[in-house]
Each structure stands twice: as C-alpha cells, then as structure tokens.
Amino acid sequence: LLHVRLRKQAAALPGSPFILNVTPGEAHALSTTIPGMLSGEVGGKSSHTINSADQGGNLCVHGGAKITCPCEAEEEVSTNSGKLTAKVMDHANGQYTIVWHGERTGTFNVSVKIDNIHVVGSPSKLKLISTTPDLGKCVTDIDALRAVKGEQAAFRFRFQDVFGNAPILGESFRRSFRAGLALTNPGV
C-alpha cells in the first residue's frame, strides 16, 4: 500500500492508500549467475537453465532478455567438426535454458551474456563426454589374432560413439554387453 499525504496538513490524498504492484525489472548480467564448471554429453545432451535477476537481484518473472552464448574449444581440436554451438530457449518466466550441441568430447569455454555483458561466472568451462557406443562402429583387433589350440587368446574391442569419440562405458553397459566368436576354417 502506498500512502500519499499532503505535507503540512498530513491529510491523505483522496483514494490513498493506493495499491502499488512492484515487479522485477529487466534481466541484468551482474545479478545473474552461471556455475564455473558445467558438464554434459555430445549430441545436444548438454543443457543448463539460468534464472535471470534484475539489477536489484530480484528474480525476473518475464522473458525477452537478449542472451547470447559464444563458445570456443579450450584444447585445439584436430577436425572441423569440433565446433560447439549453443541455442537459448526463453521460457517467458525469467528462466532461460541453454542447450549446447557438440560432436566432439573435450573441454570448451562457454560464455553467457545478457546485453553483451558476461553474467557472473562467465566464461565457464563445459566438459562434454560420450557414454553411448554405436555398436556398428565397434572395431576389434581380431584380424591379427593368433590362437593356439588349448591356450587362451585375447583380443580387444574399441568402441566409438556415432561421432567417432571413445565413449565412457558405464557399469550397466558392461553388464549387458555380450560378445560372441565363431571360428571357421581358412578359405571356407
């Protein structure tokens, strides 16, 4: 309630007190934060939602902020497909989800800016990993295998994801993966 009174008489203005509705202002970079380290997976499976705040630190309740997210590789990537891109989704409630899409594993420097000013914690590091192997790209060294009857012979599998990265194979994959071997006579 906003009370308005005349100075000397201390008489309330007609209609006073007035109902005053105060809402947060526009998103402000120096009141909005992002963590210093982010992680995710290749193929667009990496995202983070930020809650924007106005200059006074009040959480924003409306969207429309001009948010940009430039990205660059921290380590030199040997192929052109090492590029990382970002897309910002405005939820129209002060929250923005940033989705990063990259096809190479590694650590990237990512920035989040509002009106071309870094938010607190930006630039940040984004570590992309891969956990899903593409069994069609599985490679073995079985062609060089020499086996002797009655003795054990070992060979290796090298897994790759759909983009050619070496995935981190989780315990559930290791428990469920089964390999088979069929022996044939040479020339048959």
Side-chain angles (χ1 to χ4, degrees):
L1 294 176
L2 176 64
H3 295 270
V4 180
R5 299 186 184 274
L6 297 175
R7 189 179 287 179
K8 290 187 179 182
Q9 295 93 2
L13 209 60
S16 180
F18 301 99
I19 295 177
L20 180 65
N21 187 11
V22 179
T23 59
E26 295 179 2
H28 186 66
L30 301 179
S31 299
T32 305
T33 62
I34 188 168
M37 186 66 180
L38 300 162
S39 61
E41 288 195 44
V42 294
K45 298 178 186 174
S46 177
S47 67
H48 180 75
T49 300
I50 61 170
N51 295 307
S52 61
D54 68 7
Q55 192 168 4
N58 303 300
L59 289 178
C60 294
V61 294
H62 299 289
K66 184 182 171 194
I67 296 182
T68 56
C69 303
C71 311
E72 61 186 45
E74 182 177 80
E75 299 153 1
E76 191 62 39
V77 181
S78 60
T79 64
N80 290 334
S81 60
K83 186 175 182 182
L84 182 70
T85 59
K87 179 182 175 185
V88 179
M89 292 183 291
D90 184 346
H91 297 287
N93 63 358
Q95 292 185 330
Y96 299 85
T97 298
I98 305 158
V99 178
W100 289 278
H101 181 80
E103 296 179 356
R104 292 285 172 233
T105 58
T107 303
F108 297 84
N109 291 322
V110 294
S111 297
V112 177
K113 297 179 179 183
I114 298 177
D115 292 327
N116 214 23
I117 300 172
H118 285 278
V119 301
V120 176
S122 173
S124 181
K125 302 239 184 269
L126 172 64
K127 183 175 182 179
L128 291 181
I129 62 168
S130 175
T131 61
T132 309
D134 180 352
L135 295 181
K137 292 189 175 191
C138 177
V139 179
T140 68
D141 63 355
I142 200 161
D143 292 338
L145 177 66
R146 291 228 177 264
V148 176
K149 182 179 177 182
E151 294 181 16
Q152 286 188 352
F155 60 95
R156 290 183 230 183
F157 287 103
R158 187 180 66 196
F159 294 98
Q160 294 180 344
D161 68 9
V162 70
F163 304 113
N165 300 300
I168 298 169
L169 303 175
E171 186 62 36
S172 63
F173 176 80
R174 285 191 232 130
R175 270 189 266 124
S176 65
F177 180 74
R178 299 286 179 258
L181 180 64
L183 300 175
T184 60
N185 291 329
V188 174

